[in-house]
């Protein structure tokens, strides 16, 4: 892979912006007044101790939380300036634009190509040539094509974990999303696989807006341009990653990034 | 005096081993015993001819056909209803009084003796709906009997599908229906198939309920609205009325071999297609 040449978008550019986002699981408030701006074609890392609401926040960006009973949400999230919580929002369309990669690689128990094509098929694409082309381009986007092009009909469950996780990214790429949400995408992988997935994320960042939740501070520092620190449902601080890690303005952030708790 | 843990362990293991061996032994004994008495009388003619003089002579061809009809119809009726109920319970409704009631009903249904199903089938399908003693009455009754098994096994299988699959499916923009049909049911297929195979076995061997609903006519059923005797009922009548023990054993052998063949092929199919898919 050649080095990725790109100009970072200006600070003022915003892909996603949450505004005073509050979320309750029943009577428990998991998010408190979270306001954060996400720049396009950047990697934004969300860090914070276990249970602080990172996954919950992430799942708000594609409205996946509403599937759980008893969830109440207040506030707004703007995607390209439009509030995704306004009534009349097409959820299928939203989730196509904002895709999610989970902690454990979770390919469907289908073949490699059926995994990649799940999304396109759901969206009604039936043209064979187009589907074949999508398999190729989506697998190429995650550097799986060379290794798997002769095994497209093999069960995805037989692949090693790293390839499974890449396949999950391919599966998203196939529906041409704009935003990739990644909830601890490397925590089930070994260090070498982790490094390679991080490289993949760097590559993908030239085309997609990426938000990654991670427990691994080194990882956040390595891959992200922006970072947000959460604690007990609040966004304590957000800004450029170097600032968050070396010169945070909040004492709690400093305590966390220096490993004093969490 | 305290017994050393290693000895307790050894005793426990040997007891469990013995009990398992006894269970397997009894099973093997029954099967061998029946096949021993039945196999010598099995012949191509026995499988392809009609019975003569009440089954004292001749074969069991009409009973094989009757059994196939009743079983196939019962499963074809019960499987879609059962799987649909399971999907509804797991994917389309929140846990509540309603789901609890359906589940409780299914569990009660599963515990009811088959003769009572037979009686119900007799009163409802045979008399009230006027279907008479017929293959269809028998099949409907047996379908009711196996329904709880299919519902429960499908439900377990669907519940075991990881939540992440659902999240991903939604995440890729599927509707609930697409998610259910393309991901959940597909992943749950081995479990659902197991339930269906179990109920095929149960339908084949059901006796009391079909006696009261499908009747015991000896002839080859010309349509599903005619009465037909199943293999298990034929066996029961042959032995119960002392008509012919040799033919009873031969009939039982056919049953046992059929059930083993079905289970084996289902197992093979599942390994072949679902495991890999
Ligand atoms: N479905 C739910 N129902 C009730 N409470 C929930 C639910 N999901 C999460 N919570 C609670 O909300 C809080 C935030 O959870 P969340 O999963 O967002 O944390 P997290 O920061 O991702 O943690 P981790 O690092 O362990 O993944 C936790 O206290 C959790 O117990
Ligand atoms: Mg989490």
């Amino acid at each position: 892979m050649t080095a990725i040449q790109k100009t970072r978008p200006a600070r003022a550019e915003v892909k996603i912006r949450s505004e005073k986002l509050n979320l309750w699981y029943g009577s428990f408030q998991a998010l408190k007044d979270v306001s954060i701006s996400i720049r396009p074609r950047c990697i934004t890392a969300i860090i914070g101790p276990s249970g602080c609401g990172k996954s919950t926040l992430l799942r708000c960006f594609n409205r996946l939380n509403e599937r759980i009973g008893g969830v109440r949400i207040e506030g707004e999230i703007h995607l390209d300036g439009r509030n995704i919580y306004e009534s009349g929002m097409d959820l299928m369309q939203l989730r196509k634009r904002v895709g999610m990669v989970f902690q454990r690689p979770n390919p469907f128990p289908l073949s490699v190509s059926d995994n990649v094509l799940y999304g396109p098929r759901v969206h009604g694409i039936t043209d064979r040539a187009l589907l074949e082309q999508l398999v190729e381009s989506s697998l190429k986007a995650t550097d799986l094509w060379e290794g798997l092009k002769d095994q497209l009909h093999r069960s995805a469950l037989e692949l090693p974990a790293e390839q499974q996780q890449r396949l999950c990214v391919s599966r998203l790429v196939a529906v041409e999303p704009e935003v990739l949400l990644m909830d601890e995408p490397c925590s089930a992988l070994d260090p070498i696989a982790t490094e390679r997935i991080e490289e993949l994320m760097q590559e993908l960042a030239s085309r997609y807006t990426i938000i990654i939740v991670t427990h691994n501070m080194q990882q956040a520092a390595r891959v992200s341009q922006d970072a947000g620190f959460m604690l007990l449902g609040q966004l304590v601080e957000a800004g450029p990653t170097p600032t968050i890690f070396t010169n945070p303005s909040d004492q709690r952030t400093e305590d966390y990034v220096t490993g004093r708790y969490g | 005096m305290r017994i050393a843990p290693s000895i307790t362990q050894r005793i426990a293991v040997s007891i469990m081993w013995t009990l398992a061996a006894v269970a397997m032994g009894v099973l093997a004994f029954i099967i061998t015993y029946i096949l021993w008495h039945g196999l010598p009388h099995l012949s191509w003619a026995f499988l392809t001819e009609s019975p003569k003089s009440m089954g004292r002579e001749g074969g069991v061809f009409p009973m094989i056909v009757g059994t196939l009809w009743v079983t196939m119809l019962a499963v074809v009726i019960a499987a879609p209803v059962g799987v649909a109920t399971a999907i509804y319970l797991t994917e389309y409704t929140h846990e509540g009084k309603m789901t609890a009631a359906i589940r409780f009903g299914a569990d009660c249904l599963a515990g009811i003796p088959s003769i009572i199903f037979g009686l119900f089938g007799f009163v409802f399908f045979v008399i009230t709906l006027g279907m008479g003693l017929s293959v269809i009455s028998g099949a409907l009754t047996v379908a009711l009997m196996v329904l709880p098994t299919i519902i429960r096994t499908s439900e377990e299988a669907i519940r075991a599908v990881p939540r992440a699959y659902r999240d991903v499916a939604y995440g890729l923009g599927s509707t609930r229906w697409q998610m259910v049909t393309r991901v959940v049911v597909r992943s749950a297929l081995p479990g659902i198939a197991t339930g269906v195979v179990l109920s095929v076995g149960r339908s084949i061997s059901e006796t009391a309920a079909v006696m009261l609903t499908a009747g015991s006519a000896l002839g080859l059923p010309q349509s599903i609205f005619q009465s037909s005797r199943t293999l298990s009922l034929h066996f029961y009548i042959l032995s119960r009325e002392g008509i012919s023990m040799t033919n009873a054993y031969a009939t039982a052998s056919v049953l046992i071999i059929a059930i083993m063949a079905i289970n084996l092929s289902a197992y093979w199919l599942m390994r072949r297609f679902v495991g890999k898919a």
Side-chain angles (χ1 to χ4, degrees):
Chain A
M1 267 293 144
T2 50
I4 301 135
Q5 310 254 312
K6 68 172 198 169
T7 44
R8 297 285 177 214
R11 280 236 71 84
E13 256 190 279
V14 173
K15 181 74 184 173
I16 302 183
R17 184 165 50 89
S18 79
E19 224 162 79
K20 294 226 177 287
L21 192 68
N22 287 286
L23 183 144
W24 289 262
Y25 290 115
S27 58
F28 172 77
Q29 186 168 8
L31 293 180
K32 295 170 188 159
D33 280 338
V34 175
S35 300
I36 188 171
S37 293
I38 311 285
R39 287 190 292 157
R41 283 164 283 110
C42 275
I43 302 182
T44 304
I46 309 282
I47 56 172
S50 207
C52 67
K54 306 181 295 294
S55 301
T56 303
L57 176 63
L58 208 62
R59 294 163 64 93
C60 283
F61 292 134
N62 64 351
R63 293 188 58 177
L64 216 47
N65 279 320
E66 286 144 76
R67 296 194 38 235
I68 308 164
V71 169
R72 189 160 60 85
I73 298 166
E74 276 175 13
E76 296 181 354
I77 293 180
H78 295 265
L79 176 64
D80 287 335
R82 182 170 168 214
N83 182 14
I84 63 170
Y85 279 92
E86 76 188 12
S87 58
M89 185 73 205
D90 180 350
L91 282 188
M92 303 305 143
Q93 210 51 37
L94 170 69
R95 290 180 185 146
K96 189 176 163 221
R97 291 174 68 193
V98 185
M100 185 145 188
V101 179
F102 295 81
Q103 187 164 357
R104 296 177 52 85
N106 55 4
F108 295 132
L110 306 172
S111 70
V112 169
S113 65
D114 283 340
N115 263 283
V116 175
L117 294 179
Y118 180 88
R121 285 189 177 134
V122 157
H123 291 97
I125 298 177
T126 50
D127 183 71
R128 282 189 72 126
L130 181 55
L131 289 174
E132 271 170 31
Q133 191 194 324
L134 270 172
V135 171
E136 182 173 342
S137 61
S138 309
L139 290 177
K140 275 186 174 157
T142 58
D143 300 329
L144 277 177
W145 177 250
E146 285 307 315
L148 291 184
K149 65 182 170 195
D150 299 321
Q151 324 179 32
L152 295 178
H153 298 290
R154 187 172 162 203
S155 167
L157 300 183
E158 292 168 9
L159 303 176
E162 183 207 334
Q163 292 198 344
Q164 288 192 4
Q165 195 63 303
R166 283 175 186 269
L167 183 62
C168 292
V169 178
S170 298
R171 186 169 61 181
L172 286 182
V173 167
V175 298
E176 289 158 16
E178 296 160 30
V179 181
L180 296 181
L181 309 174
M182 301 189 162
D183 194 346
E184 303 187 40
C186 299
S187 64
L189 303 179
D190 62 58
I192 294 170
T194 299
E195 195 176 311
R196 306 235 297 258
I197 295 285
E198 285 176 10
E199 280 167 20
L200 172 64
M201 288 166 53
Q202 304 278 18
E203 284 169 38
L204 292 171
S206 60
R207 286 200 279 160
Y208 306 103
T209 302
I210 298 181
I211 309 179
I212 173 180
V213 161
T214 176
H215 264 124
N216 180 331
M217 232 96 62
Q218 288 80 17
Q219 182 172 62
R222 274 193 305 264
V223 300
S224 69
Q225 285 82 52
D226 293 338
F229 169 62
M230 290 185 68
L231 191 61
L232 298 172
Q234 281 173 312
L235 182 72
V236 173
E237 188 173 352
T241 302
T243 316
I244 296 288
F245 277 91
T246 54
N247 192 16
S249 52
D250 195 291
Q251 184 60 40
R252 291 170 295 176
T253 313
E254 186 173 343
D255 287 347
Y256 184 74
V257 297
T258 54
R260 233 163 285 168
Y261 66 91
Chain B
M1 199 189 77
R2 187 170 167 274
I3 305 171
S6 64
I7 297 186
T8 328
Q9 168 81 359
R10 292 243 295 273
I11 294 175
V13 168
S14 38
I15 290 178
M16 282 186 290
W17 193 89
T18 316
L19 293 179
V22 167
M24 290 311 293
V26 170
L27 192 68
F29 176 74
I30 295 176
I31 292 178
T32 327
Y33 184 85
I34 291 173
L35 292 182
W36 183 265
H37 287 270
L39 279 183
H41 304 283
L42 268 193
S43 62
W44 184 245
F46 187 77
L47 296 177
T48 52
E49 282 176 12
S50 287
K52 298 188 195 92
S53 58
M54 301 306 288
R56 206 163 283 123
E57 321 244 315
V60 290
F61 182 65
M63 289 80 201
I64 294 180
V65 174
T67 308
L68 282 179
W69 268 118
V70 170
T71 304
M72 262 169 33
L73 275 177
V75 172
V76 164
I77 295 165
V81 177
V83 175
T85 310
I87 291 174
Y88 176 75
L89 284 176
T90 47
E91 303 292 328
Y92 279 86
T93 169
H94 287 293
E95 289 300 310
K97 287 213 177 70
M98 171 78 173
T99 54
I102 295 179
R103 217 166 273 133
F104 180 73
D107 287 347
C108 288
L109 227 50
I112 292 176
S114 61
I115 188 81
I116 297 192
F117 273 99
L119 207 58
F120 169 79
F122 181 73
V123 172
F124 189 66
F125 298 121
V126 177
I127 310 270
T128 312
L129 296 186
M131 294 174 174
L133 290 174
S134 61
V135 168
I136 185 72
S137 303
L140 285 168
T141 311
V142 174
L144 280 183
M145 280 185 55
V146 296
L147 196 56
T149 317
I150 296 187
I151 295 179
R152 284 306 230 161
T153 46
S154 308
E155 210 192 329
E156 293 307 320
I158 291 175
R159 268 185 213 292
V161 175
R163 199 184 108 180
Y165 286 176
R166 298 179 169 87
D167 285 344
V168 173
Y170 276 123
L172 290 168
S174 359
T175 60
R176 183 183 294 237
W177 177 244
Q178 289 170 328
M179 191 264 305
V180 167
T181 49
R182 297 181 191 204
V183 176
V184 175
V185 171
R186 246 189 119 146
S187 318
L189 218 49
I192 294 176
T194 309
V196 173
V197 170
L198 280 177
S199 34
V200 170
R202 237 189 119 193
S203 310
I204 291 184
S205 42
E206 181 46 39
T207 313
V210 291
M211 178 167 68
L212 291 169
T213 51
S216 54
L218 277 168
L220 188 65
Q222 302 298 322
S223 82
I224 57 169
F225 300 104
Q226 285 187 3
S227 168
S228 171
R229 190 187 284 196
T230 64
L231 280 171
S232 57
L233 183 57
H234 189 55
F235 167 80
Y236 173 76
I237 294 176
L238 286 184
S239 55
R240 172 70 212 269
E241 305 191 351
I243 295 172
S244 163
M245 276 325 271
T246 44
N247 275 356
Y249 280 123
T251 310
S253 304
V254 175
L255 260 179
I256 288 180
I257 293 170
I259 290 180
M260 288 200 297
I262 286 171
N263 281 329
L264 281 178
S265 45
Y267 183 72
W268 182 80
L269 280 177
M270 240 135 69
R271 290 254 315 241
R272 175 99 172 55
F273 293 109
V274 189
K276 253 173 56 177

